[in-house]
Amino acid sequence: MAWMFPVWAGNDLESLRAQFALQDERIDYADAKLVVDRLIEPATDTDAVMRELDGWERAVRSQVPANATPRQVLDALLRTLYEPGTWNQEKPFTYDLGDPLGHNPKNKQLAVYLATRKGNCVSMPILFAILGQRLGLPIALATAPNHVLVKFADESQQAWLNVEATAGGFKYDSSYERETGISEKAIQNGIYLRPLSPREGVGVIASSLMEHYGAGQQADDLMAVTDMALSANPKDPVALVWKANAYYFQLQERYVRRYPDAAKIPAAELADYQRLSQENLAWFGKAEALGWTPGTEEQDADYMKSIENEKARREQ
């Protein structure tokens, strides 16, 4: 049975809906990312971004030896992006310590990242996945709480290697589990650290759009995007939580702002008010049942401490 998207989803989301409708083998991460970026920032020059991506692909290929293995291509990609050299004009891509929590949404856009070469845990792995896909590497996007990473299928080890794109290196699953507080339940249910299919990866890419609509409390558009993501991955924890928030925004818009006193909601509208309240709680419940937990102040403090340590290291 084909997934039917809500009829209230805006026409401006047709380009994103078309991405989710593609079969895995036809999905291009660059196309998907630029669709999302243009929905957020219509002035995005997609042709210019594509030309830059072409240039970076050529730069990587110039570092690849003849008859290279996939691992050698991966190493060339890492070197091209993260090590200073003529291939990147001695200006490698680095983590943006000035906006470590990604509070500035523009910093998650591909055009901005390519221009500044300062990224975050959204822009950095997505660019890596885009170039990896262009180079024919066996890669997939994956997530941890509030984080995106790339997985590489290493044939020699018969295992998936985690590429930590914010640092240009590798990292064990156990490190993510410890640092981000991933529970055993979450691992068993496959909501984190699992290599995602390309369609599921489009859902990860679309998380920036969910954040954009959430910031504007654009409930119906937010609901539409979360439904698209959940059609590809029903266990997407980010989409589950944003869907719960979409119901909350609908509740605020339709009732709370009109009737500050809930007792004054007309009887004819009471059932819808109760439905939205119940759905809001239910979708948070679905996320929690799979192992999602909200972040803690302690985790935020530990992360900011690591950022300060990295700033001090760079200044040495």
mmCIF file of all heavy atoms in Angstrom, residues 249-296:
data_model
loop_
_atom_site.group_PDB
_atom_site.id
_atom_site.type_symbol
_atom_site.label_atom_id
_atom_site.label_comp_id
_atom_site.label_asym_id
_atom_site.label_seq_id
_atom_site.Cartn_x
_atom_site.Cartn_y
_atom_site.Cartn_z
ATOM 1 N N PHE A 249 1.915 22.683 18.480
ATOM 2 C CA PHE A 249 1.741 23.967 17.800
ATOM 3 C C PHE A 249 0.318 24.123 17.266
ATOM 4 O O PHE A 249 -0.255 25.220 17.303
ATOM 5 C CB PHE A 249 2.748 24.105 16.662
ATOM 6 C CG PHE A 249 4.191 24.167 17.115
ATOM 7 C CD1 PHE A 249 5.190 23.562 16.362
ATOM 8 C CD2 PHE A 249 4.544 24.826 18.282
ATOM 9 C CE1 PHE A 249 6.515 23.608 16.773
ATOM 10 C CE2 PHE A 249 5.867 24.874 18.701
ATOM 11 C CZ PHE A 249 6.860 24.264 17.944
ATOM 12 N N GLN A 250 -0.256 23.039 16.744
ATOM 13 C CA GLN A 250 -1.644 23.100 16.287
ATOM 14 C C GLN A 250 -2.579 23.417 17.452
ATOM 15 O O GLN A 250 -3.520 24.207 17.316
ATOM 16 C CB GLN A 250 -2.043 21.785 15.631
ATOM 17 C CG GLN A 250 -1.416 21.562 14.269
ATOM 18 C CD GLN A 250 -1.874 20.267 13.616
ATOM 19 O OE1 GLN A 250 -2.314 19.339 14.304
ATOM 20 N NE2 GLN A 250 -1.760 20.195 12.296
ATOM 21 N N LEU A 251 -2.313 22.796 18.587
ATOM 22 C CA LEU A 251 -3.121 23.032 19.776
ATOM 23 C C LEU A 251 -3.048 24.497 20.196
ATOM 24 O O LEU A 251 -4.067 25.125 20.515
ATOM 25 C CB LEU A 251 -2.623 22.129 20.903
ATOM 26 C CG LEU A 251 -3.445 22.083 22.184
ATOM 27 C CD1 LEU A 251 -4.771 21.363 21.938
ATOM 28 C CD2 LEU A 251 -2.655 21.370 23.284
ATOM 29 N N GLN A 252 -1.830 25.053 20.172
ATOM 30 C CA GLN A 252 -1.653 26.452 20.554
ATOM 31 C C GLN A 252 -2.394 27.384 19.590
ATOM 32 O O GLN A 252 -3.083 28.318 20.008
ATOM 33 C CB GLN A 252 -0.159 26.794 20.561
ATOM 34 C CG GLN A 252 0.648 26.088 21.624
ATOM 35 C CD GLN A 252 0.286 26.544 23.020
ATOM 36 O OE1 GLN A 252 0.279 27.722 23.329
ATOM 37 N NE2 GLN A 252 -0.040 25.590 23.881
ATOM 38 N N GLU A 253 -2.225 27.103 18.289
ATOM 39 C CA GLU A 253 -2.807 27.982 17.263
ATOM 40 C C GLU A 253 -4.326 27.934 17.254
ATOM 41 O O GLU A 253 -5.000 28.972 17.149
ATOM 42 C CB GLU A 253 -2.261 27.575 15.894
ATOM 43 C CG GLU A 253 -2.788 28.416 14.741
ATOM 44 C CD GLU A 253 -2.237 27.941 13.396
ATOM 45 O OE1 GLU A 253 -1.207 27.225 13.391
ATOM 46 O OE2 GLU A 253 -2.842 28.283 12.372
ATOM 47 N N ARG A 254 -4.874 26.728 17.367
ATOM 48 C CA ARG A 254 -6.323 26.579 17.211
ATOM 49 C C ARG A 254 -7.104 26.885 18.485
ATOM 50 O O ARG A 254 -8.267 27.318 18.407
ATOM 51 C CB ARG A 254 -6.651 25.154 16.753
ATOM 52 C CG ARG A 254 -6.070 24.788 15.401
ATOM 53 C CD ARG A 254 -6.433 23.361 15.031
ATOM 54 N NE ARG A 254 -5.698 22.907 13.850
ATOM 55 C CZ ARG A 254 -5.816 21.695 13.312
ATOM 56 N NH1 ARG A 254 -6.652 20.819 13.847
ATOM 57 N NH2 ARG A 254 -5.107 21.371 12.259
ATOM 58 N N TYR A 255 -6.469 26.653 19.651
ATOM 59 C CA TYR A 255 -7.255 26.747 20.884
ATOM 60 C C TYR A 255 -6.629 27.607 21.978
ATOM 61 O O TYR A 255 -7.290 28.504 22.506
ATOM 62 C CB TYR A 255 -7.533 25.332 21.428
ATOM 63 C CG TYR A 255 -8.315 24.515 20.440
ATOM 64 C CD1 TYR A 255 -7.696 23.513 19.707
ATOM 65 C CD2 TYR A 255 -9.663 24.787 20.195
ATOM 66 C CE1 TYR A 255 -8.399 22.778 18.766
ATOM 67 C CE2 TYR A 255 -10.375 24.058 19.247
ATOM 68 C CZ TYR A 255 -9.736 23.063 18.537
ATOM 69 O OH TYR A 255 -10.431 22.365 17.594
ATOM 70 N N VAL A 256 -5.399 27.362 22.360
ATOM 71 C CA VAL A 256 -4.826 28.041 23.522
ATOM 72 C C VAL A 256 -4.803 29.550 23.328
ATOM 73 O O VAL A 256 -5.133 30.318 24.243
ATOM 74 C CB VAL A 256 -3.413 27.502 23.821
ATOM 75 C CG1 VAL A 256 -2.768 28.290 24.964
ATOM 76 C CG2 VAL A 256 -3.483 26.022 24.175
ATOM 77 N N ARG A 257 -4.427 30.018 22.120
ATOM 78 C CA ARG A 257 -4.372 31.454 21.878
ATOM 79 C C ARG A 257 -5.766 32.065 21.786
ATOM 80 O O ARG A 257 -5.962 33.233 22.131
ATOM 81 C CB ARG A 257 -3.593 31.741 20.595
ATOM 82 C CG ARG A 257 -2.106 31.418 20.716
ATOM 83 C CD ARG A 257 -1.405 31.494 19.396
ATOM 84 N NE ARG A 257 -0.040 30.972 19.477
ATOM 85 C CZ ARG A 257 0.666 30.571 18.438
ATOM 86 N NH1 ARG A 257 0.150 30.632 17.220
ATOM 87 N NH2 ARG A 257 1.889 30.104 18.612
ATOM 88 N N ARG A 258 -6.723 31.275 21.321
ATOM 89 C CA ARG A 258 -8.100 31.789 21.203
ATOM 90 C C ARG A 258 -8.863 31.681 22.517
ATOM 91 O O ARG A 258 -9.715 32.507 22.819
ATOM 92 C CB ARG A 258 -8.841 31.007 20.116
ATOM 93 C CG ARG A 258 -8.297 31.235 18.705
ATOM 94 C CD ARG A 258 -8.878 30.215 17.739
ATOM 95 N NE ARG A 258 -10.333 30.264 17.696
ATOM 96 C CZ ARG A 258 -11.088 29.219 17.315
ATOM 97 N NH1 ARG A 258 -10.516 28.061 16.987
ATOM 98 N NH2 ARG A 258 -12.393 29.342 17.282
ATOM 99 N N TYR A 259 -8.528 30.637 23.285
ATOM 100 C CA TYR A 259 -9.252 30.390 24.534
ATOM 101 C C TYR A 259 -8.238 30.157 25.656
ATOM 102 O O TYR A 259 -7.949 29.009 26.026
ATOM 103 C CB TYR A 259 -10.159 29.166 24.413
ATOM 104 C CG TYR A 259 -11.079 29.177 23.212
ATOM 105 C CD1 TYR A 259 -10.834 28.335 22.118
ATOM 106 C CD2 TYR A 259 -12.196 30.014 23.162
ATOM 107 C CE1 TYR A 259 -11.663 28.334 21.015
ATOM 108 C CE2 TYR A 259 -13.035 30.023 22.062
ATOM 109 C CZ TYR A 259 -12.767 29.179 20.986
ATOM 110 O OH TYR A 259 -13.593 29.180 19.901
ATOM 111 N N PRO A 260 -7.674 31.225 26.227
ATOM 112 C CA PRO A 260 -6.717 31.060 27.327
ATOM 113 C C PRO A 260 -7.287 30.233 28.479
ATOM 114 O O PRO A 260 -6.554 29.523 29.164
ATOM 115 C CB PRO A 260 -6.428 32.499 27.761
ATOM 116 C CG PRO A 260 -6.700 33.313 26.528
ATOM 117 C CD PRO A 260 -7.858 32.641 25.861
ATOM 118 N N ASP A 261 -8.607 30.313 28.657
ATOM 119 C CA ASP A 261 -9.290 29.486 29.643
ATOM 120 C C ASP A 261 -9.907 28.309 28.912
ATOM 121 O O ASP A 261 -10.879 28.460 28.164
ATOM 122 C CB ASP A 261 -10.368 30.309 30.356
ATOM 123 C CG ASP A 261 -11.101 29.512 31.427
ATOM 124 O OD1 ASP A 261 -10.809 28.307 31.579
ATOM 125 O OD2 ASP A 261 -11.967 30.102 32.111
ATOM 126 N N ALA A 262 -9.328 27.100 29.125
ATOM 127 C CA ALA A 262 -9.794 25.915 28.396
ATOM 128 C C ALA A 262 -11.263 25.623 28.644
ATOM 129 O O ALA A 262 -11.930 25.008 27.803
ATOM 130 C CB ALA A 262 -8.943 24.700 28.787
ATOM 131 N N ALA A 263 -11.799 26.087 29.772
ATOM 132 C CA ALA A 263 -13.204 25.835 30.091
ATOM 133 C C ALA A 263 -14.146 26.554 29.131
ATOM 134 O O ALA A 263 -15.325 26.212 29.047
ATOM 135 C CB ALA A 263 -13.497 26.259 31.529
ATOM 136 N N LYS A 264 -13.609 27.536 28.396
ATOM 137 C CA LYS A 264 -14.447 28.309 27.479
ATOM 138 C C LYS A 264 -14.396 27.793 26.039
ATOM 139 O O LYS A 264 -14.970 28.417 25.146
ATOM 140 C CB LYS A 264 -14.025 29.778 27.527
ATOM 141 C CG LYS A 264 -14.278 30.421 28.881
ATOM 142 C CD LYS A 264 -13.922 31.901 28.879
ATOM 143 C CE LYS A 264 -14.229 32.533 30.245
ATOM 144 N NZ LYS A 264 -13.883 33.976 30.288
ATOM 145 N N ILE A 265 -13.703 26.697 25.815
ATOM 146 C CA ILE A 265 -13.683 26.110 24.476
ATOM 147 C C ILE A 265 -15.089 25.609 24.152
ATOM 148 O O ILE A 265 -15.679 24.854 24.942
ATOM 149 C CB ILE A 265 -12.676 24.943 24.398
ATOM 150 C CG1 ILE A 265 -11.255 25.463 24.636
ATOM 151 C CG2 ILE A 265 -12.764 24.228 23.047
ATOM 152 C CD1 ILE A 265 -10.204 24.371 24.698
ATOM 153 N N PRO A 266 -15.652 25.990 23.005
ATOM 154 C CA PRO A 266 -17.011 25.547 22.654
ATOM 155 C C PRO A 266 -17.118 24.028 22.617
ATOM 156 O O PRO A 266 -16.165 23.334 22.245
ATOM 157 C CB PRO A 266 -17.239 26.157 21.264
ATOM 158 C CG PRO A 266 -16.307 27.327 21.227
ATOM 159 C CD PRO A 266 -15.100 26.917 22.009
ATOM 160 N N ALA A 267 -18.257 23.531 22.992
ATOM 161 C CA ALA A 267 -18.465 22.082 23.046
ATOM 162 C C ALA A 267 -18.194 21.417 21.706
ATOM 163 O O ALA A 267 -17.668 20.292 21.656
ATOM 164 C CB ALA A 267 -19.894 21.791 23.505
ATOM 165 N N ALA A 268 -18.529 22.114 20.606
ATOM 166 C CA ALA A 268 -18.342 21.541 19.273
ATOM 167 C C ALA A 268 -16.867 21.371 18.922
ATOM 168 O O ALA A 268 -16.517 20.603 18.014
ATOM 169 C CB ALA A 268 -19.021 22.422 18.230
ATOM 170 N N GLU A 269 -15.979 22.109 19.603
ATOM 171 C CA GLU A 269 -14.545 22.044 19.313
ATOM 172 C C GLU A 269 -13.763 21.258 20.362
ATOM 173 O O GLU A 269 -12.555 21.033 20.205
ATOM 174 C CB GLU A 269 -13.977 23.471 19.218
ATOM 175 C CG GLU A 269 -14.609 24.314 18.127
ATOM 176 C CD GLU A 269 -14.034 25.721 18.087
ATOM 177 O OE1 GLU A 269 -12.814 25.878 18.279
ATOM 178 O OE2 GLU A 269 -14.808 26.669 17.865
ATOM 179 N N LEU A 270 -14.422 20.834 21.404
ATOM 180 C CA LEU A 270 -13.738 20.197 22.520
ATOM 181 C C LEU A 270 -13.087 18.873 22.124
ATOM 182 O O LEU A 270 -11.980 18.549 22.564
ATOM 183 C CB LEU A 270 -14.720 19.979 23.667
ATOM 184 C CG LEU A 270 -14.095 19.609 25.017
ATOM 185 C CD1 LEU A 270 -13.112 20.694 25.460
ATOM 186 C CD2 LEU A 270 -15.194 19.415 26.066
ATOM 187 N N ALA A 271 -13.763 18.106 21.278
ATOM 188 C CA ALA A 271 -13.212 16.807 20.879
ATOM 189 C C ALA A 271 -11.897 16.976 20.122
ATOM 190 O O ALA A 271 -10.956 16.205 20.332
ATOM 191 C CB ALA A 271 -14.229 16.047 20.020
ATOM 192 N N ASP A 272 -11.828 17.996 19.255
ATOM 193 C CA ASP A 272 -10.592 18.231 18.509
ATOM 194 C C ASP A 272 -9.488 18.704 19.440
ATOM 195 O O ASP A 272 -8.321 18.304 19.292
ATOM 196 C CB ASP A 272 -10.835 19.264 17.407
ATOM 197 C CG ASP A 272 -9.632 19.414 16.486
ATOM 198 O OD1 ASP A 272 -9.151 18.392 15.954
ATOM 199 O OD2 ASP A 272 -9.143 20.548 16.324
ATOM 200 N N TYR A 273 -9.829 19.543 20.400
ATOM 201 C CA TYR A 273 -8.860 20.003 21.397
ATOM 202 C C TYR A 273 -8.280 18.811 22.156
ATOM 203 O O TYR A 273 -7.054 18.707 22.329
ATOM 204 C CB TYR A 273 -9.551 20.964 22.353
ATOM 205 C CG TYR A 273 -8.741 21.324 23.575
ATOM 206 C CD1 TYR A 273 -7.743 22.285 23.513
ATOM 207 C CD2 TYR A 273 -8.985 20.695 24.808
ATOM 208 C CE1 TYR A 273 -6.982 22.617 24.643
ATOM 209 C CE2 TYR A 273 -8.237 21.014 25.935
ATOM 210 C CZ TYR A 273 -7.241 21.967 25.842
ATOM 211 O OH TYR A 273 -6.501 22.286 26.953
ATOM 212 N N GLN A 274 -9.126 17.909 22.572
ATOM 213 C CA GLN A 274 -8.675 16.734 23.320
ATOM 214 C C GLN A 274 -7.843 15.810 22.436
ATOM 215 O O GLN A 274 -6.852 15.222 22.881
ATOM 216 C CB GLN A 274 -9.875 15.992 23.900
ATOM 217 C CG GLN A 274 -10.605 16.788 24.976
ATOM 218 C CD GLN A 274 -11.902 16.138 25.420
ATOM 219 O OE1 GLN A 274 -12.499 15.331 24.691
ATOM 220 N NE2 GLN A 274 -12.371 16.502 26.612
ATOM 221 N N ARG A 275 -8.232 15.697 21.168
ATOM 222 C CA ARG A 275 -7.477 14.846 20.234
ATOM 223 C C ARG A 275 -6.051 15.359 20.071
ATOM 224 O O ARG A 275 -5.090 14.576 20.129
ATOM 225 C CB ARG A 275 -8.172 14.809 18.874
ATOM 226 C CG ARG A 275 -7.430 13.985 17.820
ATOM 227 C CD ARG A 275 -8.093 14.112 16.459
ATOM 228 N NE ARG A 275 -7.966 15.451 15.903
ATOM 229 C CZ ARG A 275 -6.904 15.879 15.227
ATOM 230 N NH1 ARG A 275 -5.856 15.075 15.022
ATOM 231 N NH2 ARG A 275 -6.872 17.109 14.744
ATOM 232 N N LEU A 276 -5.897 16.656 19.859
ATOM 233 C CA LEU A 276 -4.564 17.227 19.677
ATOM 234 C C LEU A 276 -3.718 17.053 20.935
ATOM 235 O O LEU A 276 -2.523 16.742 20.851
ATOM 236 C CB LEU A 276 -4.672 18.708 19.309
ATOM 237 C CG LEU A 276 -5.321 19.023 17.956
ATOM 238 C CD1 LEU A 276 -5.436 20.533 17.759
ATOM 239 C CD2 LEU A 276 -4.537 18.405 16.814
ATOM 240 N N SER A 277 -4.328 17.235 22.094
ATOM 241 C CA SER A 277 -3.602 17.047 23.350
ATOM 242 C C SER A 277 -3.132 15.610 23.490
ATOM 243 O O SER A 277 -1.983 15.345 23.873
ATOM 244 C CB SER A 277 -4.497 17.413 24.544
ATOM 245 O OG SER A 277 -4.889 18.766 24.499
ATOM 246 N N GLN A 278 -4.003 14.676 23.158
ATOM 247 C CA GLN A 278 -3.669 13.253 23.279
ATOM 248 C C GLN A 278 -2.598 12.849 22.275
ATOM 249 O O GLN A 278 -1.682 12.078 22.596
ATOM 250 C CB GLN A 278 -4.924 12.407 23.093
ATOM 251 C CG GLN A 278 -5.925 12.551 24.228
ATOM 252 C CD GLN A 278 -7.298 11.992 23.894
ATOM 253 O OE1 GLN A 278 -7.554 11.514 22.773
ATOM 254 N NE2 GLN A 278 -8.210 12.058 24.848
ATOM 255 N N GLU A 279 -2.687 13.371 21.050
ATOM 256 C CA GLU A 279 -1.688 13.036 20.032
ATOM 257 C C GLU A 279 -0.318 13.585 20.409
ATOM 258 O O GLU A 279 0.707 12.927 20.200
ATOM 259 C CB GLU A 279 -2.122 13.586 18.668
ATOM 260 C CG GLU A 279 -3.330 12.898 18.062
ATOM 261 C CD GLU A 279 -3.005 11.514 17.518
ATOM 262 O OE1 GLU A 279 -1.844 11.074 17.616
ATOM 263 O OE2 GLU A 279 -3.925 10.865 16.989
ATOM 264 N N ASN A 280 -0.289 14.784 20.955
ATOM 265 C CA ASN A 280 0.978 15.370 21.401
ATOM 266 C C ASN A 280 1.680 14.441 22.395
ATOM 267 O O ASN A 280 2.869 14.119 22.242
ATOM 268 C CB ASN A 280 0.710 16.734 22.037
ATOM 269 C CG ASN A 280 1.905 17.289 22.794
ATOM 270 O OD1 ASN A 280 1.876 17.380 24.017
ATOM 271 N ND2 ASN A 280 2.968 17.633 22.094
ATOM 272 N N LEU A 281 0.968 13.974 23.386
ATOM 273 C CA LEU A 281 1.541 13.074 24.384
ATOM 274 C C LEU A 281 1.862 11.709 23.784
ATOM 275 O O LEU A 281 2.890 11.097 24.109
ATOM 276 C CB LEU A 281 0.567 12.920 25.557
ATOM 277 C CG LEU A 281 0.303 14.181 26.381
ATOM 278 C CD1 LEU A 281 -0.772 13.916 27.423
ATOM 279 C CD2 LEU A 281 1.578 14.674 27.042
ATOM 280 N N ALA A 282 1.006 11.240 22.896
ATOM 281 C CA ALA A 282 1.188 9.901 22.327
ATOM 282 C C ALA A 282 2.455 9.807 21.496
ATOM 283 O O ALA A 282 3.180 8.796 21.561
ATOM 284 C CB ALA A 282 -0.028 9.518 21.475
ATOM 285 N N TRP A 283 2.762 10.853 20.733
ATOM 286 C CA TRP A 283 3.949 10.789 19.871
ATOM 287 C C TRP A 283 5.228 10.933 20.685
ATOM 288 O O TRP A 283 6.246 10.310 20.348
ATOM 289 C CB TRP A 283 3.848 11.825 18.755
ATOM 290 C CG TRP A 283 2.915 11.342 17.689
ATOM 291 C CD1 TRP A 283 1.578 11.608 17.591
ATOM 292 C CD2 TRP A 283 3.221 10.445 16.623
ATOM 293 N NE1 TRP A 283 1.032 10.944 16.517
ATOM 294 C CE2 TRP A 283 2.018 10.226 15.894
ATOM 295 C CE3 TRP A 283 4.381 9.826 16.187
ATOM 296 C CZ2 TRP A 283 1.955 9.399 14.780
ATOM 297 C CZ3 TRP A 283 4.326 8.999 15.060
ATOM 298 C CH2 TRP A 283 3.134 8.793 14.376
ATOM 299 N N PHE A 284 5.193 11.708 21.759
ATOM 300 C CA PHE A 284 6.337 11.696 22.663
ATOM 301 C C PHE A 284 6.488 10.302 23.270
ATOM 302 O O PHE A 284 7.606 9.792 23.426
ATOM 303 C CB PHE A 284 6.164 12.732 23.781
ATOM 304 C CG PHE A 284 6.634 14.108 23.413
ATOM 305 C CD1 PHE A 284 5.766 15.185 23.433
ATOM 306 C CD2 PHE A 284 7.962 14.338 23.068
ATOM 307 C CE1 PHE A 284 6.196 16.459 23.107
ATOM 308 C CE2 PHE A 284 8.406 15.620 22.731
ATOM 309 C CZ PHE A 284 7.522 16.674 22.745
ATOM 310 N N GLY A 285 5.364 9.689 23.600
ATOM 311 C CA GLY A 285 5.393 8.349 24.170
ATOM 312 C C GLY A 285 5.983 7.327 23.218
ATOM 313 O O GLY A 285 6.723 6.422 23.638
ATOM 314 N N LYS A 286 5.677 7.458 21.924
ATOM 315 C CA LYS A 286 6.231 6.530 20.933
ATOM 316 C C LYS A 286 7.750 6.660 20.871
ATOM 317 O O LYS A 286 8.468 5.658 20.774
ATOM 318 C CB LYS A 286 5.621 6.795 19.556
ATOM 319 C CG LYS A 286 4.160 6.393 19.443
ATOM 320 C CD LYS A 286 3.609 6.703 18.051
ATOM 321 C CE LYS A 286 2.131 6.345 17.958
ATOM 322 N NZ LYS A 286 1.574 6.615 16.611
ATOM 323 N N ALA A 287 8.239 7.887 20.903
ATOM 324 C CA ALA A 287 9.687 8.102 20.866
ATOM 325 C C ALA A 287 10.350 7.525 22.112
ATOM 326 O O ALA A 287 11.386 6.847 22.037
ATOM 327 C CB ALA A 287 9.990 9.600 20.748
ATOM 328 N N GLU A 288 9.757 7.759 23.270
ATOM 329 C CA GLU A 288 10.326 7.256 24.515
ATOM 330 C C GLU A 288 10.294 5.731 24.566
ATOM 331 O O GLU A 288 11.218 5.099 25.084
ATOM 332 C CB GLU A 288 9.567 7.847 25.699
ATOM 333 C CG GLU A 288 9.824 9.340 25.885
ATOM 334 C CD GLU A 288 8.960 9.975 26.951
ATOM 335 O OE1 GLU A 288 7.917 9.362 27.307
ATOM 336 O OE2 GLU A 288 9.306 11.064 27.425
ATOM 337 N N ALA A 289 9.248 5.125 24.013
ATOM 338 C CA ALA A 289 9.137 3.664 24.010
ATOM 339 C C ALA A 289 10.253 3.020 23.196
ATOM 340 O O ALA A 289 10.653 1.873 23.455
ATOM 341 C CB ALA A 289 7.771 3.233 23.477
ATOM 342 N N LEU A 290 10.765 3.753 22.204
ATOM 343 C CA LEU A 290 11.849 3.233 21.369
ATOM 344 C C LEU A 290 13.227 3.485 21.979
ATOM 345 O O LEU A 290 14.230 2.973 21.483
ATOM 346 C CB LEU A 290 11.783 3.873 19.977
ATOM 347 C CG LEU A 290 10.601 3.455 19.103
ATOM 348 C CD1 LEU A 290 10.527 4.326 17.860
ATOM 349 C CD2 LEU A 290 10.708 1.981 18.710
ATOM 350 N N GLY A 291 13.274 4.281 23.042
ATOM 351 C CA GLY A 291 14.552 4.545 23.697
ATOM 352 C C GLY A 291 15.018 5.977 23.622
ATOM 353 O O GLY A 291 16.102 6.307 24.114
ATOM 354 N N TRP A 292 14.221 6.859 22.994
ATOM 355 C CA TRP A 292 14.592 8.279 22.967
ATOM 356 C C TRP A 292 14.421 8.881 24.349
ATOM 357 O O TRP A 292 13.465 8.568 25.076
ATOM 358 C CB TRP A 292 13.701 9.043 21.981
ATOM 359 C CG TRP A 292 13.882 10.532 22.060
ATOM 360 C CD1 TRP A 292 14.838 11.283 21.453
ATOM 361 C CD2 TRP A 292 13.084 11.458 22.830
ATOM 362 N NE1 TRP A 292 14.697 12.611 21.784
ATOM 363 C CE2 TRP A 292 13.638 12.751 22.632
ATOM 364 C CE3 TRP A 292 11.979 11.312 23.675
ATOM 365 C CZ2 TRP A 292 13.090 13.888 23.231
ATOM 366 C CZ3 TRP A 292 11.451 12.441 24.285
ATOM 367 C CH2 TRP A 292 12.003 13.709 24.050
ATOM 368 N N THR A 293 15.349 9.731 24.743
ATOM 369 C CA THR A 293 15.226 10.489 25.983
ATOM 370 C C THR A 293 15.643 11.932 25.707
ATOM 371 O O THR A 293 16.533 12.176 24.880
ATOM 372 C CB THR A 293 16.128 9.930 27.101
ATOM 373 O OG1 THR A 293 17.496 9.916 26.653
ATOM 374 C CG2 THR A 293 15.707 8.520 27.490
ATOM 375 N N PRO A 294 15.023 12.896 26.370
ATOM 376 C CA PRO A 294 15.438 14.293 26.175
ATOM 377 C C PRO A 294 16.830 14.510 26.744
ATOM 378 O O PRO A 294 17.250 13.832 27.687
ATOM 379 C CB PRO A 294 14.376 15.089 26.942
ATOM 380 C CG PRO A 294 13.823 14.125 27.944
ATOM 381 C CD PRO A 294 13.887 12.775 27.311
ATOM 382 N N GLY A 295 17.567 15.440 26.140
ATOM 383 C CA GLY A 295 18.903 15.746 26.628
ATOM 384 C C GLY A 295 18.865 16.343 28.020
ATOM 385 O O GLY A 295 17.851 16.915 28.447
ATOM 386 N N THR A 296 19.969 16.214 28.734
ATOM 387 C CA THR A 296 20.051 16.726 30.094
ATOM 388 C C THR A 296 20.989 17.934 30.156
ATOM 389 O O THR A 296 21.833 18.131 29.278
ATOM 390 C CB THR A 296 20.568 15.652 31.066
ATOM 391 O OG1 THR A 296 21.937 15.337 30.729
ATOM 392 C CG2 THR A 296 19.718 14.392 30.966
#
